[in-house]
Amino acid sequence: MFASQLRLQRNLSNRPYPSPNVSRNFQDIPGSIQQRVIKMSTAIPTSTSITESAVIPAHLSHVWHFIKLQDFHAFWSKLKGSDFVKGMNPETDVVKWEFQDGTMLDVKQEEHSSIDHYITYSVIASTPALSYSSVVSTVRCYPITSGSAEGQTFVTWSGNFSSDADAGVIEDARFKRQEALADLAAKVSEKKK
């Protein structure tokens, strides 16, 4: 038995005046509740926020050209395609991302600034369904104005997940952002040639 199961069993059996409706043994608790207790006791505690970053070897104006939801497929090798979702409110920018593995995400642009060079988006639909409730991500570009990387661009890609995202989700998102930033660096280097 897991430690949390034993604690729960001990707490239920040590009550001085148990109600007739209260189960005294862990085995008497309905299976769905048992599974939630086990899942809570075995979950790996993790932060639900991540940020990945990279120095992209190109001027900000060149890098910023790629940072549009509908254009992510132009640099991100995991994306097969990206197109605007038709039939949405004209004031709402929603783009469908189709990944190479068949996953489809509808991403909604929440914020965009050509002055501060960032874009924020959320995932509003997914096929197959996500294992967590929500995520809001931001891609932000900064010009590097001095030092050995002067004239290049520092890019961050953050993600803030709902509290039900587990460690596997966070690590997967971390690796995908690292790969996408590497793809972006490769794409701008290829265009410079």
Side-chain angles (χ1 to χ4, degrees), residues 101-164:
D101 68 359
T103 300
M104 305 281 267
L105 295 181
D106 286 357
V107 293
K108 177 183 172 210
Q109 182 173 292
E110 302 290 351
E111 284 186 276
H112 176 268
S113 175
S114 294
I115 295 171
D116 292 324
H117 302 102
Y118 71 89
I119 186 169
T120 298
Y121 65 92
S122 61
V123 176
I124 60 171
S126 175
T127 304
L130 299 174
S131 64
Y132 50 93
S133 305
S134 65
V135 60
V136 176
S137 299
T138 299
V139 179
R140 188 177 298 265
C141 301
Y142 302 90
I144 300 175
T145 59
S146 63
S148 61
E150 183 177 350
Q152 298 181 48
T153 307
F154 181 70
V155 179
T156 63
W157 193 339
S158 65
N160 293 300
F161 293 81
S162 53
S163 62
D164 57 345

Side-chain angles (χ1 to χ4, degrees), residues 70 73 79-83 96-100:
Q70 70 275 14
H73 73 280
L79 280 182
K80 185 187 295 184
S82 51
D83 290 308
K96 182 174 291 296
W97 284 351
E98 181 180 0
F99 286 84
Q100 299 289 352

